[in-house]
């Protein structure tokens, strides 16, 4: 079909610098395709953005919940720690008082022990002195008794001799008297 007159007139009236309509149509289609692709990309990015915002919100919410739980747990543990610390300080103070009391008792016991040792040593020394005195007295008594026995034995010998001898000696009585006086 031959070109229509209107088209021919339009072509005749057309500006020589004007771009080719076919080229413009292709350009328009290309731009529409790019627009569609970018619109799809924007839609995907919006979905991705919404998903990321939701995830960020969920993470923020979880963070605040965990932080609250952690703070509560930390607070509770701090309270327990402080309570235990107070108990231990009290127990340390009690044990220090007990140690002090036991040290005082030990000093007193050592003092009593030293006093007892001194008293014992004094009594032992006293008894030793008493034993020595009694030994000396016994020795004196033994010597005295020995002397008495010897004297008695001597007297008995002399009497036995006198009684067994048949002869009478007039000087025998004077000898005896001298022996008694001399103590032999």
């Amino acid at each position: 079909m031959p070109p229509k007159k209107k088209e021919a007139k339009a072509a005749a009236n057309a500006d020589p610098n004007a771009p080719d309509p076919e080229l413009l149509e292709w350009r328009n289609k290309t731009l529409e395709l790019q627009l569609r692709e970018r619109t799809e990309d924007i839609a995907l990015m919006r979905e991705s953005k919404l998903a990321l915002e939701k995830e960020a919100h969920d993470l923020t919410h979880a963070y605040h919940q965990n932080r609250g739980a952690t703070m509560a747990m930390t607070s509770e543990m701090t309270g327990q720690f402080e309570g235990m610390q107070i108990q231990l300080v009290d127990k340390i103070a009690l044990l220090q008082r007990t140690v002090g009391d036991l040290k005082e008792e030990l000093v007193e016991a050592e003092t009593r022990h030293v006093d007892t040792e001194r008293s014992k040593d004094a009594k032992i020394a006293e008894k030793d002195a008493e034993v020595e005195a009694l030994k000396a007295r016994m020795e004196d008594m033994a010597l005295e008794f020995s002397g008495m026995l010897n004297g008695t034995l001597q007297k008995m010998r002399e009497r036995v001799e006198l009684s067994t001898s048949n002869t009478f000696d007039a000087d025998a009585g004077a000898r005896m008297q001298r022996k008694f006086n001399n103590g032999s």
Side-chain angles (χ1 to χ4, degrees):
M1 274 201 196
K4 296 183 183 178
K5 284 189 178 185
K6 282 187 184 176
E7 284 180 23
K9 269 188 184 180
N13 286 336
D15 184 12
N17 290 336
D20 184 20
E22 215 174 271
L23 181 64
L24 286 176
E25 191 176 316
W26 275 103
R27 195 170 200 178
N28 189 26
K29 284 183 182 180
T30 304
L31 289 173
E32 284 177 357
L33 281 174
Q34 285 180 355
L35 179 65
R36 228 181 282 137
E37 284 177 5
R38 291 205 176 146
T39 304
E40 288 174 4
D41 286 346
I42 289 173
L44 288 174
M45 285 184 193
R46 280 186 183 154
E47 287 177 17
S48 177
K49 178 186 169 197
L50 288 174
L52 288 173
E53 285 177 348
K54 183 178 184 323
E55 186 177 347
H57 180 277
D58 291 346
L59 288 173
T60 303
H61 185 262
Y63 167 75
H64 288 296
Q65 282 182 334
N66 286 341
R67 184 174 179 206
T70 302
M71 291 298 284
M73 188 184 311
T74 303
S75 176
E76 181 181 334
M77 289 178 73
T78 301
Q80 287 177 350
F81 173 76
E82 288 172 353
M84 288 171 50
Q85 190 176 22
I86 290 170
Q87 288 176 345
L88 289 175
V89 166
D90 291 345
K91 192 171 186 176
I92 288 170
L94 176 66
L95 291 174
Q96 286 175 339
R97 284 192 301 271
T98 303
V99 166
D101 292 346
L102 291 175
K103 282 182 179 178
E104 289 176 9
E105 286 181 27
L106 179 63
V107 167
E108 290 173 5
E110 287 174 346
T111 303
R112 282 193 309 269
H113 177 71
V114 167
D115 290 345
T116 304
E117 283 286 323
R118 285 182 189 151
S119 173
K120 176 194 71 140
D121 290 344
K123 283 183 181 180
I124 288 173
E126 182 182 320
K127 292 297 179 182
D128 285 346
E130 192 176 319
V131 165
E132 289 300 320
L134 289 174
K135 279 183 182 178
R137 188 172 164 208
M138 283 173 48
E139 218 172 281
D140 289 346
M141 289 174 70
L143 286 174
E144 186 180 327
F145 186 66
S146 171
M148 288 171 46
L149 283 176
N150 280 338
T152 304
L153 183 63
Q154 187 64 27
K155 284 181 189 178
M156 287 182 73
R157 273 189 198 150
E158 286 177 2
R159 283 194 184 176
V160 168
E161 279 180 18
L162 278 179
S163 61
T164 55
S165 78
N166 290 341
T167 60
F168 179 72
D169 187 8
D171 289 331
R175 269 189 280 147
M176 253 191 176
Q177 187 66 33
R178 272 187 260 132
K179 284 184 183 180
F180 276 104
N181 289 339
N182 290 337
S184 8

